[in-house]
Amino acid sequence: MTLLQQRTQRTERDNLNPSAKHYDADTTEPISCGLRTMGELLSWKRSEANLFNVATVPLALREPPLARCPRRTLVSHDMMGGYLDDRFVQGANSETPYAFYHWQYIDIFNYFTHHLVTIPPAVWTNAAHKHGVVVLGTFITEWDDGAKMCEAFLKDEESYRAVADKLVQISKYYGFDGWLINIENYLGEVAVRNMPLFLQYLTEQTRERVPGGLVLWYDSVLENGQLKWQNQLNQSNRIFFDACDGFFTNYNWTEQNLEAMKDYVGTQGRQAHIYVGVDVFARGDVVGGKFETNKALELIRKHGFSVAIFAPGWVYETHSDKSEFPKNQDKFWALLVDHLYIHRPASPLPFVSSFCRGFGKAVYWRGRCERKQSWFNLMAQEVQPLYYHMDLGAPGWLKSRGCPEDAWNGGSSLLLEGVVPEAMDGPVSAKIFSLHVPVNSEILVTLICKTSAGIKVSLEMRTVDADHCTTSDVQEVTVTSLTPAVDGAPQLMSHVSEMCGGVNPEGWSVRCSQLELRGCVLRELSVLIHRDGEPGDLPFSCTLGEVMVLDVAGLQAPPDAVQGLCINDVVWLHGAGTSPETTSTSPETTSTSLCFNATLRWAYPAEHVRCFRVYWRRLRGPDPRIPPGQLQLVGRAYSSVFRVTELLVPEPPGLLELVVEPVSRTGFLVPESRWGRRRLSYRAEAAP
């Protein structure tokens, strides 16, 4: 490795130099990980924590709120030891990754491993929070080592409070919402006496410091300290249930267990807090599992309990053809839908989704393929639509599914396909979102799509609170038909002209409408598919690229500027590669190349941005004949911190520029004058 000397203005490093375990050993790329020992837990400090694994998306509003859900659905994600492709905070190049996107059906997501402390990767927390889903880490002790650990930390109040305080600090710092406590070992007399006190203190502190936080207990240890799974809540384990927010039963229950719990006095008033466990792998003597998991849910809901679905990644792990995973996942959740309860996004406008599921065969940007390579990053997942199959009367049908073959932004679009039967009068209504979004303003609605021949499409919005809701006529928006509210604001007029000006890249159609809603709650977004041709059974397809519902008043403010861009933790590496310093008279050659690695950090209001596009360019290299280069995309960031890894740069001396472009939630381009820029010069260090 050649030593280089960096010359650039530096700011305070804060905690941007975490433990080596927070970086990939080969590339210095940031990764997520858990804690394996009690020593690691008790010595945990914010100053040494993993800045990259901090979730940036707050828990979104939803309807109904979790507190009002009488029958909840928890998913416990246990897959192959955990921290797989999802450990890469900035994404991974994965051909066939596992992902979850049926968020509207679940209320709580638990990331489970057999580490002592499982810290959920931020990619999961961000995706869940966008959909109003609570995220729990896991604290687990097991076997003889676990028993010794419990004896130590439960020996007195000071010890168990120290552990609880660290768990609360960790969940608060990393932005997730609480813990599943899983004690899979015998507890001695002192330890079992203090365990409910530990649970109670942890629950109280979590509620106080983490809004919407939860602490759940797994069915394992009894009040006498014996490790004996009960498969139900009863008098032997109630003491732990009473000390926290909920109880996750073991999986080998029968209907008799459910009946006993329903009648048990300790259950009364808290049935929603009892999560009956269902092992999708169907290990042991269980009801349902695999593609018959619906049988277990039917019984659980019959008796009025919540459900905990353990390891639904079975649809991925046990099927050898991983390319069939999305189809198997959609099949699995479609079988459960009769026993699940949809919750609706309830955050105020803007409402925006490009339907990206957080993985794809390529990366698309504004309708064009930007990079043809398979990828996975749940940070990129947007609010998910409804996926379903509907019978329209023979031979008609309608199906909604993710489509990785084309996209407007990200890695997938939403494909509506089917057959309009000849006998059908009127349009096909394809519901794409169930919402509960308050609207009391003039709004701009955009639909970006591609359609097959023989159909026309339009976007339908349904509202509730009809007694108080008033609407104006819908006006199709073009550059020459802007309403006074838009026409009087030059910046907004420019944005709308840019979006609704008839530019159709790669065959995409951009349609804009404007209307006024007062005192309304937007409940559904549907696409109406109209026949546009001769009678007969009509096969059709409609690819949806993006839907936006925007508050016109909120669009008039100028975009924020990126502030305080700084470059830290620079690492220079030499390796074999193609040098970027090539000209028409100097063809590319494979040689020893210089790789630049660094952490970028900046400030920008998170609520205004979808992501950031990070670029670099060469301003000056060792060969003065080569002019400054063009901006080249390095990657997308989903928080205000990004690790540049293995970027090939010219040999020293050199001057490069790093640039951060905010991508607004509204889809309007942010002027370059509002981007962040930072230069860095470097030269070879003089020999001693």
Side-chain angles (χ1 to χ4, degrees), residues 367-422:
R368 294 187 174 92
C369 181
E370 190 169 67
R371 180 167 62 93
K372 190 71 174 178
Q373 184 178 29
S374 294
W375 62 277
F376 167 75
N377 188 351
L378 285 176
M379 294 270 200
Q381 188 180 92
E382 302 219 340
V383 176
Q384 290 297 287
L386 301 171
Y387 299 101
Y388 58 89
H389 186 284
M390 179 188 299
D391 182 11
L392 300 178
W397 57 276
L398 167 67
K399 184 176 183 179
S400 162
R401 65 178 177 88
C403 175
E405 309 303 328
D406 202 358
W408 175 257
N409 186 34
S412 56
S413 54
L414 181 66
L415 179 63
L416 304 176
E417 58 184 348
V419 174
V420 181
E422 181 177 14

Side-chain angles (χ1 to χ4, degrees), residues 246-565:
F247 186 87
F248 182 150
T249 79
N250 193 46
Y251 314 106
N252 302 110
W253 49 267
T254 65
E255 188 167 12
Q256 287 71 32
N257 293 118
L258 302 182
E259 291 170 347
M261 276 199 297
K262 191 172 183 179
D263 295 334
Y264 175 52
V265 65
T267 301
Q268 304 313 306
R270 293 192 67 190
Q271 273 190 257
H273 302 165
I274 299 174
Y275 302 84
V276 180
V278 178
D279 181 6
V280 178
F281 277 79
R283 291 165 283 206
D285 185 10
V286 300
V287 176
K290 303 181 180 179
F291 282 125
E292 294 186 340
T293 298
N294 57 304
K295 294 182 178 179
L297 265 69
E298 182 178 5
L299 280 179
I300 293 167
R301 299 307 198 199
K302 172 184 172 182
H303 293 281
F305 291 107
S306 294
V307 63
I309 302 173
F310 186 75
W314 170 86
V315 298
Y316 180 89
E317 285 192 59
T318 61
H319 294 79
S320 57
D321 186 357
K322 304 303 185 190
S323 66
E324 292 291 299
F325 157 66
K327 183 187 298 184
N328 290 328
Q329 170 131 295
D330 291 347
K331 174 183 175 181
F332 177 83
W333 288 94
L335 290 168
L336 304 185
V337 71
D338 289 343
H339 310 292
L340 302 173
Y341 304 94
I342 291 177
H343 58 81
R344 301 173 174 87
S347 297
L349 296 180
F351 176 81
V352 179
S353 180
S354 66
F355 311 104
C356 180
R357 294 177 293 177
F359 61 95
K361 298 178 180 179
V363 178
Y364 292 84
W365 169 242
R366 301 180 73 84
R368 294 187 174 92
C369 181
E370 190 169 67
R371 180 167 62 93
K372 190 71 174 178
Q373 184 178 29
S374 294
W375 62 277
F376 167 75
N377 188 351
L378 285 176
M379 294 270 200
Q381 188 180 92
E382 302 219 340
V383 176
Q384 290 297 287
L386 301 171
Y387 299 101
Y388 58 89
H389 186 284
M390 179 188 299
D391 182 11
L392 300 178
W397 57 276
L398 167 67
K399 184 176 183 179
S400 162
R401 65 178 177 88
C403 175
E405 309 303 328
D406 202 358
W408 175 257
N409 186 34
S412 56
S413 54
L414 181 66
L415 179 63
L416 304 176
E417 58 184 348
V419 174
V420 181
E422 181 177 14
M424 188 171 189
D425 294 326
V428 173
S429 179
K431 184 163 68 172
I432 57 175
F433 287 106
S434 287
L435 306 169
H436 192 88
V437 176
V439 183
N440 190 39
S441 62
E442 191 166 3
I443 61 174
L444 180 69
V445 182
T446 70
L447 172 65
I448 301 175
C449 63
K450 295 180 180 181
T451 61
S452 59
I455 64 169
K456 292 182 178 179
V457 301
S458 60
L459 189 66
E460 179 184 50
M461 297 186 296
R462 295 185 179 180
T463 61
V464 293
D465 296 341
D467 292 342
H468 306 95
C469 180
T470 61
T471 66
S472 66
D473 292 335
V474 178
Q475 176 181 343
E476 199 73 16
V477 174
T478 64
V479 180
T480 59
S481 67
L482 299 174
T483 67
V486 175
D487 197 23
Q491 180 76 25
L492 179 55
M493 185 174 178
S494 173
H495 287 325
V496 175
S497 299
E498 166 200 313
M499 177 173 293
C500 308
V503 178
N504 302 324
E506 305 297 327
W508 290 100
S509 172
V510 183
R511 305 178 184 189
C512 302
S513 302
Q514 192 173 350
L515 70 157
E516 189 171 348
L517 298 176
R518 296 292 177 184
C520 304
V521 174
L522 182 59
R523 189 58 176 263
E524 290 181 2
L525 289 181
S526 300
V527 172
L528 299 182
I529 300 164
H530 308 259
R531 185 190 301 273
D532 185 30
E534 299 298 320
D537 297 329
L538 177 63
F540 71 88
S541 67
C542 175
T543 305
L544 303 182
E546 187 167 78
V547 170
M548 296 197 295
V549 183
L550 310 175
D551 184 337
V552 170
L555 301 177
Q556 299 185 23
D560 295 284
V562 172
Q563 301 287 339
L565 176 60

Side-chain angles (χ1 to χ4, degrees), residues 64-80:
L66 181 63
R68 295 212 317 262
C69 292
R71 287 174 290 277
R72 306 171 181 179
T73 301
L74 179 152
V75 160
S76 187
H77 175 67
D78 174 41
M79 178 176 285
M80 302 162 61

